[in-house]
Structures are given as structure tokens and as C-alpha cells.
Amino acid sequence: MADYKLVIGGEGVTTSDHLDVKNPATEQVVGRCPIATDEHLDAAVDAAATAFLAWSVVPDEERKAAVCRMADVIRENSEELAELLTREQGKPLNGLGSRFELQGAEAWARHTATIDLPVEILHQDESGSVELHRKPLGVVGSITPWNFPLMIAIWHIAPAIRTGNTVVLKPSPYTPLSTIRMVELLNEVLPAGVLNVVTGRDDLGQKITEHAGIQKIVFTGSSATGKKVMQAAADTLKRVTLELGGNDAGIVLPDANPSEIAEGLFWGAFINNGQTCAALKRLYVPDALHDEICAALVEYASKVQMGDGLDETSILGPIQNKMQFDKVVELVEDARARGARILCGGTVPEGSGYFYPATIVADVSDGFRLVDEEQFGPVLPVIRYSSLDDAISRANASESGLGGSAWSSDIDRAKQVASQLECGSVWINNHGMVKPFAPFGGVKASGIGVEFGRQGLEEYTSIQVVHS
Ligand code: NDP
């Protein structure tokens, strides 16, 4: 069984303790992740702080080229990384699985390399000028979750490195191995200390957020943990970008064509087995279309093969971990006990692994836990409505505000609905298609700040105004 190492200052660092990382399809150990001590964390922060002295003054074109080389490394090693990702995360190699995630990681790195933050001239006349410059912050602490470990790591580290910061990255203990391997490979094209990775026990994230040598935290995970990150970052006044959970609603308008939208609705909800922050988690449909939409979704679900992600025919894999699996079972059973109809799925298959089939649930409404809570799994509740205004206010009656969607044959009408949804991104006739040039972030309890695009890059900088 392979023991993985921390990467600190460009070197692999062995630890005395390790954690087993399990394959959720087989419950067998994939490899052992190192447990960092406090001294390891200090060493990683020191290495990043030392590297920052040189990296922060490297010419912009060189930093762009370095981020392009990161994209090249991801491409050249994508098959190895995809297989390791599948073995620890569970998602299939095929479909919208590991290979897709690696393509996304490469695309995001490549696009990030193209964005510029030029000096802005705020004022200029015969008496002088006022210029706005962007400067890197220092050491960035990146804390990533288990749903898209590699792509989210790149979402954090590419803009940080591009803008002249250095990074200490901490992946989730459920899925640390592919991140460690990717960091090892990226260190072949980055100066020592620019990118470090530490893994360990559950208190490591908090220690990173409290660490006085770190100037910013970028965190993707649950809203509950996001609040803790913000509290822990307060003492040292760190900048934070928080991309947190969502309970995204989709609203089908009465003029939509069920057979045309079924595939988009299905993948909006079931991408990555629903373990996606901006997935469709509540679907509001008009009474007149309810049965047709349910039938179209069930028919599409019947064609999607679930199995071990290493099997090239699998399109959906297992749920990533036991905690999440238990949560999904609990929410579906709660809905069933309250009279909901399980149109497909809803039973745990025999055998090992955290498999749960794509499940469509009807006769549910607001007030059911399955609707009110973020299920973060392969389940979609379909909720009837008779008044569009009422559907919009129910969609907005949530603490979360990450994404939303409107489905209609009339784009202008859909945009009118979109404008009334309380969320950071709204998609028309799809759900969750993030793009590397479009800022992405939540309102309400779904986060603070944005990632991607120029606005996302700016979050890794401070402003210095030069008056002359
Ligand atoms: P968490 O939010 O707890 O974990 C995400 C990351 O944060 C992990 O690396 C975790 O590491 C770290 N972390 C945990 N506690 C702290 C802390 N106090 N300070 C700093 N970092 C910390 O997610 P879970 O894995 O527990 O999943 C719980 C729920 O979160 C899911 O059911 C889902 O609803 C939601 N979620 C949302 C995601 C998104 O993309 N927005 C992604 C994953 C989950 P460690 O475990 O070692 O503490």
C-alpha cells in the first residue's frame, strides 16, 4: 500500500503517522495519506513565505507562462490522475467523471493564464496622475472538499499563483491522494515553495485558518464550516473567499417542452451524483407539466449505468463517503415516510460500496427535509406549483443562494424569472455550467466573494493606489 508524502518547499516529506484513504466503490484502502504535525504546517508556511519573496516580483509574463506549464502538466498526466481520482473519489472515469474533471482543471489553468490585471489610471491631468495597482497578498491557504478535489484545487491555486502569491493547500481527508500527486507533478514546473500540500487530521483546517503566516483563505465546502473559517480568520484579519453549499432551485415555466429539457434537468441534478455545490437540488414544475416531466426524467434515469468508476461503462459511481451516503438515505426515507412517491431509485443495492441509484421523488413540497436541506446526493425532489410567482418565492425561501435555473422556450421570459431569483448565478435551460471567464459565487449563506474571471483574480490581490 503506497504511503504518500507531504510536499513542502519542493520536497516530498515523510510523516510518521498516516490515514487510510478508501475507495467508496469497494471500501478497500487505496493508499495512505500523511498526517502533518504542527511543525510540518509551520514548515510549509515558512517555505511558502520564503518563496513569496521571489515569486511576487517575477515579471507577469513569466508567471503566465508558469500557469500555462501547470496546464500542460495536467494534460500530460491526466490519465494517471484521473485513475487515482476515480479510485479515491468514486466518480467514473467516463461521462462527466474523472477525465472530465481533469479537462476542466486544465481549461481553468489555461484560461487563468490569459487574464490580465493591468494598472488602471484613475485620474490624469497636468497636475499628475492617480494609478491603481494590484499586488499579491502573500501566502494563501487553500482548503478543498472531496467532490471535485482536483478541479477545485486548480480553481484556488491557479489564480493565486498567477497573481504572485504562494500556496499551502489542504485537501479533504476523504480525497487527498490525487491532490498530493498533482502537487508533486506541478512542483516539477514551479519554483520550490510556491505550491505546498499538507494533509492530516480534522483540526488541520482550523490551524491553517488561524495561522499568522497566512494572509488569505480560499475555502470550498459546507456553509457550517465556512462560518468557522471566517471566525478563525478574524483574529489575524485574513482575506477570505468562501464558496459554500447551495440548495439550488430550478423553475420550469409552463411553455417548456418536457422531452427537450429532460436531459439537461437530469444532468443539472445528477452531475457527480448530485455532490456538486451548484447542482439542481429542488425542481419546481407547473401542475400541467408535472407528470410529463417526471416520466421524462425517470426514462432518462433508466438509461444511466451505475457501477465502479473504473469500469468504462459506468456513467455514475458511488456516493463518495459513508457520512454522505447515510444523509441521502435518511432524507429519502424521511420523505417516503411522509407520503412522498419514489418514482425511481430509492433502494440501496446489495454488495459493498456506497452505491445509491439516481432517485426521482414526487409528491414532496417545501417543509420536507429533502426539499429544505441540501441533500448533496443523487436525489431530485420534483415539486408542483400552480402560480409562477408562488414558485419564485418558494425558490427564494432558502438560506442558500448559490445558483438557480429557469427552463422555458421563451428566453426573455426565462430571463425575467431569473432576475427575481436570489442567487449568484442563474442558468437558462441548463444548470451549473460554470465557465472560467464568468465570476462564480454565492449570496446569502452560500458564500462571500467570487471565483473565476477578472473579478475572481482580483480577490488574490490588494489594491495599492499611487498618487503622483
Ligand atoms: P466540510 O465543509 O466540513 O469540509 C470541507 C473542507 O473543510 C475539508 O477539507 C475539511 O477538512 C475542511 N474543514 C473542516 N472543518 C474545518 C474548520 N473548522 N476549519 C477549516 N477547515 C475545515 O465538508 P464535509 O466534507 O464535512 O461535508 C459536509 C457537507 O458539506 C456535505 O454534506 C455538503 O452538503 C457540503 N459540501 C459542500 C461542498 C461544496 O462544494 N460547496 C463540498 C463538500 C461538501 P477536515 O475534514 O479534515 O476538517
Side-chain angles (χ1 to χ4, degrees):
M1 194 53 55
D3 283 350
Y4 285 70
K5 296 179 185 171
L6 310 171
V7 180
I8 298 176
E11 302 289 331
V13 174
T14 308
T15 60
S16 50
D17 290 329
H18 295 84
L19 280 174
D20 286 345
V21 178
K22 290 196 179 154
N23 180 338
T26 61
E27 298 173 59
Q28 303 293 310
V29 177
V30 178
R32 301 198 324 147
C33 130
I35 296 182
T37 61
D38 291 358
E39 290 70 33
H40 288 126
L41 175 58
D42 287 342
V45 175
D46 284 350
T50 303
F52 179 75
L53 298 175
W55 188 245
S56 56
V57 293
V58 157
D60 210 35
E61 289 307 314
E62 271 182 51
R63 289 206 296 255
K64 281 181 163 182
V67 177
C68 281
R69 284 198 299 278
M70 289 169 63
D72 294 340
V73 165
I74 292 167
R75 173 181 289 187
E76 285 154 16
N77 297 280
S78 62
E79 204 49 31
E80 178 198 338
L81 290 170
E83 193 189 316
L84 184 53
L85 178 60
T86 289
R87 291 199 307 131
E88 69 174 352
Q89 207 284 340
K91 63 180 67 186
L93 285 167
N94 267 326
L96 300 173
S98 293
R99 292 183 181 125
F100 170 78
E101 179 166 342
L102 265 301
Q103 284 164 13
E106 182 199 341
W108 252 268
R110 227 173 265 296
H111 183 78
T112 305
T114 67
I115 311 172
D116 284 314
L117 295 179
V119 173
E120 287 175 51
I121 310 293
L122 302 179
H123 179 80
Q124 191 160 36
D125 63 15
E126 58 288 348
S127 66
S129 69
V130 182
E131 296 172 353
L132 186 154
H133 295 244
R134 295 264 166 196
K135 304 184 76 168
L137 298 166
V139 179
V140 171
S142 151
I143 302 177
T144 56
W146 44 260
N147 54 347
F148 289 92
L150 297 183
M151 191 156 71
I152 292 176
I154 289 296
W155 288 357
H156 292 184
I157 65 187
I161 290 173
R162 164 78 184 83
T163 43
N165 302 281
T166 54
V167 180
V168 175
L169 166 60
K170 188 205 85 68
S172 164
Y174 288 120
T175 54
L177 305 181
S178 53
T179 304
I180 292 175
R181 181 66 187 133
M182 181 171 77
V183 170
E184 284 172 0
L185 292 163
L186 293 175
N187 264 271
E188 291 172 9
V189 296
L190 289 171
V194 167
L195 176 58
N196 308 275
V197 62
V198 290
T199 53
R201 297 199 198 282
D202 282 352
D203 57 355
L204 184 60
Q206 178 156 356
K207 286 181 175 157
I208 289 176
T209 51
E210 288 170 347
H211 203 291
I214 292 178
Q215 279 72 44
K216 176 192 167 83
I217 297 290
V218 51
F219 169 82
T220 304
S222 62
S223 297
T225 305
K227 288 177 193 170
K228 290 186 195 159
V229 166
M230 201 163 166
Q231 276 166 356
D235 253 359
T236 45
L237 279 178
K238 289 182 178 62
R239 274 73 179 140
V240 290
T241 299
L242 305 175
E243 201 270 272
L244 309 177
N247 193 9
D248 292 10
I251 300 181
V252 176
L253 273 59
D255 66 1
N257 179 333
S259 59
E260 278 177 14
I261 62 173
E263 182 173 0
L265 287 173
F266 183 87
W267 286 115
F270 291 93
I271 180 171
N272 205 32
N273 249 341
Q275 303 166 124
T276 305
C277 44
L280 173 57
K281 294 180 180 130
R282 303 174 281 155
L283 181 62
Y284 291 87
V285 300
D287 286 324
L289 297 183
H290 177 269
D291 291 355
E292 225 182 314
I293 285 183
C294 286
L297 284 169
V298 169
E299 195 202 340
Y300 194 88
S302 70
K303 296 185 209 144
V304 175
Q305 186 157 332
M306 176 179 71
D308 188 324
L310 292 176
D311 180 338
E312 295 277 353
T313 62
S314 299
I315 299 297
L316 286 177
I319 291 177
Q320 203 284 318
N321 58 68
K322 179 78 165 60
M323 170 205 70
Q324 201 59 45
F325 174 86
D326 289 344
K327 182 172 167 186
V328 168
V329 171
E330 190 181 315
L331 292 182
V332 172
E333 291 314 313
D334 178 74
R336 195 197 307 265
R338 294 187 56 192
R341 265 186 310 138
I342 314 297
L343 301 180
C344 65
T347 43
V348 178
E350 304 252 313
S352 56
Y354 308 132
F355 288 98
Y356 197 86
T359 300
I360 316 275
V361 183
D363 295 351
V364 276
S365 192
D366 313 80
F368 280 64
R369 288 185 60 201
L370 182 60
V371 177
D372 296 349
E373 296 178 26
E374 182 189 28
Q375 72 272 37
F376 217 67
V379 188
L380 179 64
V382 184
I383 306 146
R384 289 173 177 275
Y385 75 81
S386 43
S387 138
L388 184 56
D389 286 343
D390 181 46
I392 293 168
S393 62
R394 285 152 80 189
N396 287 336
S398 166
E399 284 187 359
S400 305
L402 191 58
S405 55
W407 303 73
S408 170
S409 307
D410 179 341
I411 301 292
D412 290 334
R413 190 132 184 261
K415 281 188 180 167
Q416 271 175 11
V417 172
S419 70
Q420 296 174 71
L421 293 178
E422 296 168 2
C423 49
S425 301
V426 193
W427 292 276
I428 312 286
N429 293 332
N430 79 79
H431 195 112
M433 280 201 196
V434 291
K435 310 227 162 60
F437 53 83
F440 173 65
V443 300
K444 302 201 273 188
S446 289
I448 291 184
V450 293
E451 299 186 90
F452 318 156
R454 183 173 60 77
Q455 292 83 355
L457 209 58
E458 285 173 357
E459 297 219 359
Y460 290 86
T461 65
S462 58
I463 288 174
Q464 184 179 57
V465 179
V466 179
H467 303 256
S468 63

